[in-house]
Amino acid sequence: MDLQKKTEPQVAELRASDADRDRVADILREALAEGRLTADEHAERVEGVLSAKTVGELEVFIRDLPAAHERRTAPAWTPAPGRPTDAIPHDPDENVVAVFSAAVRKGRWRAGRRIHAYAVFGSVEIDLSEAIFEYRQVVIKAFSLFGNVEVRVPENVSLRGTGGGVLGNFEVHSLDSPEPDAPVVYVDGWAVLGNIEGRPKRGKLVADILDRVQHKVDRSLRKHLDR
């Protein structure tokens, strides 16, 4: 368990989202209005925010401002676990296979709990940016042999990756959603003389997360009133 904790990415190392950049930009805007920053300092920091890649790089621009520390006293989210905690079936709900060809899964489709992707001298694209998430956790088992597997997720889900490459590339950009009820996508695989990549798709959000949260609130309220 200690080993798992060590391999978990620190918050500062997580890839920054557009929402993270907007939050920091709001703090800088308030600091300019309060006279804490000059116009030149504000412009310089905003430029740095736009080019920042990680959460840690963003925090550098606001760590000397009181508003940043006030907003960080109560974290708005909890990092997703490194491994699935729900019961995931051994058999896949869907196989996406490309042998000397290309296979694409995208658009408005229902994502199962387990998806297997095989790219043998071919290319597989799994785009979850407009998918319907019926389950809290989705596992994608990927194998690439002289091929390419690309996984794209919405910006407001969590993303985790476990795997490696043999003369190949395995790269999954860890992502933590600020929504406690957001789905978690796990990419697990091996790339042999090939490539496996997972990352968020800019500007794409799971639209029904807020609907599910509101439904949970309504259900809790009804239970309270029925007592």
Side-chain angles (χ1 to χ4, degrees):
M1 185 170 293
D2 291 339
L3 180 59
Q4 181 178 351
K5 289 182 179 178
K6 290 180 181 178
T7 57
E8 287 292 327
Q10 300 297 316
V11 174
E13 298 172 351
L14 298 176
R15 301 284 293 192
S17 68
D18 287 341
D20 294 324
R21 295 185 181 89
D22 290 342
R23 176 182 63 85
V24 173
D26 288 341
I27 293 176
L28 294 175
R29 192 179 303 111
E30 292 176 4
L32 175 63
E34 294 169 352
R36 299 182 188 275
L37 295 176
T38 66
D40 290 339
E41 289 173 332
H42 175 264
E44 182 180 353
R45 295 192 186 196
V46 168
E47 183 178 353
V49 167
L50 294 176
S51 61
K53 295 277 195 294
T54 67
V55 174
E57 291 176 3
L58 286 175
E59 297 298 329
V60 170
F61 298 106
I62 58 173
R63 63 187 176 189
D64 59 344
L65 300 174
H69 301 283
E70 292 171 4
R71 299 188 182 194
R72 292 177 59 189
T73 54
W77 51 268
T78 301
R83 284 289 186 178
T85 56
D86 292 347
I88 304 295
H90 292 290
D91 296 329
D93 297 307
E94 184 172 0
N95 288 308
V96 185
V97 182
V99 180
F100 289 97
S101 62
V104 179
R105 201 72 170 94
K106 64 189 300 184
R108 196 68 173 163
W109 62 289
R110 297 182 183 276
R113 285 175 292 179
R114 178 184 286 269
I115 302 169
H116 286 184
Y118 302 94
V120 180
F121 290 93
S123 174
V124 170
E125 179 185 355
I126 298 178
D127 189 342
L128 295 163
S129 61
E130 298 180 7
I132 299 172
F133 287 87
E134 295 183 320
Y135 303 98
R136 174 74 185 277
Q137 299 181 341
V138 175
V139 172
I140 299 176
K141 297 282 290 186
F143 176 74
S144 172
L145 175 63
F146 287 99
N148 183 60
V149 176
E150 292 187 359
V151 178
R152 299 292 181 264
V153 302
E155 282 197 308
N156 60 340
V157 307
S158 294
L159 178 64
R160 291 287 183 268
T162 304
V166 178
L167 298 178
N169 176 62
F170 179 90
E171 184 178 4
V172 174
H173 300 272
S174 294
L175 177 69
D176 275 302
S177 173
E179 301 287 348
D181 289 334
V184 185
V185 178
Y186 297 90
V187 180
D188 187 0
W190 280 92
V192 180
L193 293 167
N195 176 67
I196 296 175
E197 183 183 87
R199 59 184 175 86
K201 194 167 184 178
R202 284 286 181 87
K204 293 295 184 178
L205 303 175
V206 177
D208 61 343
I209 287 181
L210 293 179
D211 294 336
R212 293 205 302 268
V213 172
Q214 184 61 46
H215 177 71
K216 181 181 291 186
V217 171
D218 293 341
R219 187 172 55 187
S220 300
L221 181 59
R222 286 196 299 269
K223 288 182 179 179
H224 178 75
L225 295 175
D226 291 338
R227 291 179 181 176

